[in-house]
Amino acid sequence: MSMRPLLRLRFAAFLALAACGGGGTDTPDPVGPPAVTAVSVAPATLNLQGIGATGALAATIAPSTAMASVTWSTNNAAVATVTGSGPSATVTAVSAGTATITATSGGRSGSATVTVTSTVRTLTLATSAFTLVPAQPQPLALTARDEGGAVITNPAVTYTTSAESVATVSSAGVITAVAPGTATITASAASANVTASVTVLEGGYVTASGGTITALGGQLQLVVPTGAVSAPTALTVRTVSTPPTNARLLANTAVLIEPAVTFASPATLRLRYTVPLAADVVETQLRLARLDGSTWQEQAVRVVDRTNRRVTALASTTGTWAVFVPPPSLRSFAQLAGREVGTAVSADALRSDATYRQLLAAEFNSVTPENVMKFGPIHPAPTTYNFADADSLLSFAAAHNMTVHGHVLLWHNQQPAWLTVGTPTRASLLAALRDHIQTVVTRYAGRIATWDVANEVIADNGTGLRASFWTTIAGPDIIDSAFAWARRADPNAKLYLNDYAVEAIGPKSDSMFALAMRLRAAGVPIDGIGLQAHFLVNPPSLAQQSANVARFVAAGFDVRYTELDVRLANGTDGLAAQATAYGNAVRACRTQLRCRAVTVWGFTDRYSWIPGAFPGFGRGHLWDDVFAPKPAYTGFRDAWAVP
Ligand code: G3I
């Protein structure tokens, strides 16, 4: 039996060793197979899809001549097990995850990473029916399980909606309600799928990140600045039918927004009215109110947008809101009559009295500064002008769609001392008035529609001009210059000659008429006649007033009642006669289309010039000193309300 030399050598050595150890023969140890120096496993990574799936791994021992057994092991039998002997093994997927499979031999080892992805076998939803409101996001609480029933994290799921117009669904499974209706959301993965029903109601949703919502058929819009909401909350809205007391509710605009949402900062709440406004309702009348307990609190109206039919307020909370038309106001009737109904405005009251401001804005569409634009207050020193109060009034008027009647450029009263200090001359007075008119009229050009350019320049007995420092030092033609300078400063403003006790035909109004005609004949730009109408309870009759208005209009002038009030002697009643007097002024003006306005000289007894100027008299205005309307208000309004 020929054994290969190497083997024979080994056999002899073995025998010798055996003799020494076992039989007494001195033979060296046998040289065993080389030691394992390395073990590698292929493939290094193994992906198994689905529970129960198997894969093969192979171990390679270095050196190849090493003769050693291989044992296999897993570090995570919950994910993958391994069976095998010798250099090959089989891995079996148990659940999704990763495991390390190791081959060991001769004290050396190598490994492979096994990734088990399970297959979605079932999809379930914690909730499968949702009722949402527009803009409200709603995540689907989906659970995917594999064939072993184990939950699959981050399964590859596809989401679809049956009606994009009602509700959309993102790839992450977040539903967003879009508009009222129903939709079915389907989640699919592998061969599994599940559906959810979505019902979207009218309503709105405010998110923590802000955003615009619309609801109630586009009537409610809640624009929330980013970060304005302390926590996401769903708003539901529904119509309520109790409008503010004696107000006219615009149909379908009273909405209830609940639960109340606390805003971190004011949000803009826009309510839309979806019905055409009634003929006698003008947009400046629309109001917003929020139900506070059992009473409606009117909210400052930010903007009334007739085109888009919405009214905006600045709100910081929600609640029950309504767009409504308050009882008809003076301005709504005057607007229908194509006129202005105005009032002189006290700067102090405008600054300090909210009720005054609210009534002013609600009832009037024209304002006249009672004092702050007179020469003394606005131009107290040769090169000093105080515009602040006048600017405030202009801003208020702009915010409330009101025209402004400027009062007054040339007058003998309320003049600053510097004008006549020392020895004023024609030149000094002309220069001062020119600078004054150019500065003031230019500043407000385009924002003041009409001006009292010359005021009370007719002598009380009607014998010509009043003798004042203007007419006696500068000369009567200062009146002509005043109109010319005003026209140059604002070519679009209408320029008026204004006076009192000229509301009926008589000596003084005849003198006023003569002056107006002279100015016109001389090419002086005079447009209108202002009838102050500071009345007692027995003013000129309606017929007398109407005849007077008519003659100025016939001569080509516009007319305005500029300072109407009806003072009452203290202790006397006179309220009914006062009401008639207020009504007749309106009736007389309305006899002529070119009678453009009726302005009262203050509207509440609380801030009246009368007691100071006429001791023993007062109560001359439409509202009393606690803002309660008097019969005068009703008489005045009824005269406006007549179509
Ligand atoms: O502003 C000062 C204040 O600083 C001072 O403390 C106070 C002390 O009396 O006086 C204040 O000025 C008063 C001003 O009204 C502002 O309130 C004047 O004294 C006072 O005489 C002045 O009365 C005004 C009056 O014109 C005289 O200019 C009335 O309020 C104003 O209603 C009245 O209006 C005139 C029209 O301009 C022209 N047509 C007649 C009408 C009634 O007189």
Side-chain angles (χ1 to χ4, degrees), residues 49 74 112 117 156 158 189 212 223 282 375 398-399 464 502 512 525 553 584 611 641:
Q49 174 65 45
T74 176
T117 46
T158 305
T212 299
V223 178
V282 291
F375 207 121
V502 290
M512 186 181 203
V553 168
N584 280 347

Side-chain angles (χ1 to χ4, degrees), residues 91-448:
V91 178
T92 305
V94 174
S95 70
T98 56
T100 300
I101 305 296
T102 303
T104 304
S105 177
R108 304 283 181 170
S109 64
S111 63
T113 300
V114 174
T115 302
V116 174
T117 46
S118 52
T119 307
V120 175
R121 282 284 176 268
T122 57
L123 291 172
T124 54
L125 292 171
T127 307
S128 57
F130 296 96
T131 300
L132 306 175
V133 291
Q136 181 177 358
Q138 173 64 52
L140 276 170
L142 180 90
T143 303
R145 295 181 186 280
D146 59 24
E147 46 279 82
V151 172
I152 299 173
T153 53
N154 302 324
V157 176
T158 305
Y159 296 95
T160 56
T161 176
S162 65
E164 292 270 351
S165 60
V166 172
T168 59
V169 60
S170 72
S171 57
V174 177
I175 302 168
T176 297
V178 175
T182 57
T184 300
I185 304 295
T186 303
S188 307
S191 57
N193 62 57
V194 67
T195 61
S197 68
V198 177
T199 304
V200 179
L201 299 177
E202 298 281 14
Y205 182 78
V206 176
T207 64
S209 59
T212 299
I213 63 170
T214 56
L216 274 186
Q219 289 163 344
L220 171 70
Q221 206 176 45
L222 194 55
V223 178
V224 179
T226 299
V229 176
S230 53
T233 179
L235 299 179
T236 55
V237 287
R238 56 188 170 81
T239 299
V240 294
S241 58
T242 51
T245 311
N246 75 18
R248 278 187 281 170
L249 180 67
L250 287 179
N252 298 325
T253 60
V255 292
L256 179 61
I257 304 172
E258 57 186 6
V261 172
T262 303
F263 291 91
S265 60
T268 299
L269 179 68
R270 291 195 182 98
L271 294 183
R272 280 191 175 152
Y273 51 94
T274 56
V275 293
L277 294 181
D280 67 334
V281 173
V282 291
E283 68 276 6
T284 48
Q285 277 187 285
L286 296 186
R287 293 290 179 273
L288 267 182
R290 190 163 60 83
L291 196 57
D292 186 2
S294 60
T295 58
W296 287 90
Q297 295 298 331
E298 190 166 331
Q299 304 294 306
V301 172
R302 294 273 299 223
V303 71
V304 174
D305 177 348
R306 190 179 185 125
T307 308
N308 297 306
R309 293 182 169 169
R310 68 181 175 199
V311 186
T312 294
L314 189 61
S316 60
T317 60
T318 56
T320 301
W321 289 77
V323 174
F324 70 96
V325 178
S329 63
L330 298 174
R331 68 182 292 170
S332 60
F333 289 126
Q335 185 134 351
L336 287 173
R339 277 24 179 244
E340 297 167 29
V341 58
T343 179
V345 174
S346 153
D348 290 340
L350 184 69
R351 189 182 307 113
S352 61
D353 191 328
T355 307
Y356 180 91
R357 288 195 298 271
Q358 187 172 354
L359 211 48
L360 172 59
E363 295 287 346
F364 298 96
N365 60 10
S366 174
V367 291
T368 301
E370 184 176 11
N371 287 297
V372 298
M373 296 187 86
K374 289 171 177 171
F375 207 121
I378 204 169
H379 190 178
T383 57
T384 304
Y385 285 89
N386 290 337
F387 294 123
D389 282 338
D391 291 352
S392 298
L393 180 59
L394 269 290
S395 300
F396 186 89
H400 297 282
N401 300 314
M402 297 163 144
T403 59
V404 180
H405 181 74
H407 178 82
V408 58
L409 298 175
L410 175 63
W411 190 31
H412 61 278
N413 241 344
Q414 260 177 302
Q415 299 303 313
W418 64 267
L419 205 55
T420 51
V421 70
T423 314
T425 63
R426 170 177 164 84
S428 71
L429 290 178
L430 283 170
L433 184 62
R434 182 174 59 244
D435 174 63
H436 180 80
I437 291 176
Q438 284 174 347
T439 305
V440 174
V441 178
T442 302
R443 178 184 180 86
Y444 297 110
R447 293 187 292 157
I448 291 184

Side-chain angles (χ1 to χ4, degrees), residues 370-371 374 407 411 414 455-456 532 534 563 601 609:
E370 184 176 11
N371 287 297
K374 289 171 177 171
H407 178 82
W411 190 31
Q414 260 177 302
N455 186 44
E456 301 174 8
Q532 290 187 12
H534 290 295
E563 307 184 14
W601 202 247
W609 69 283

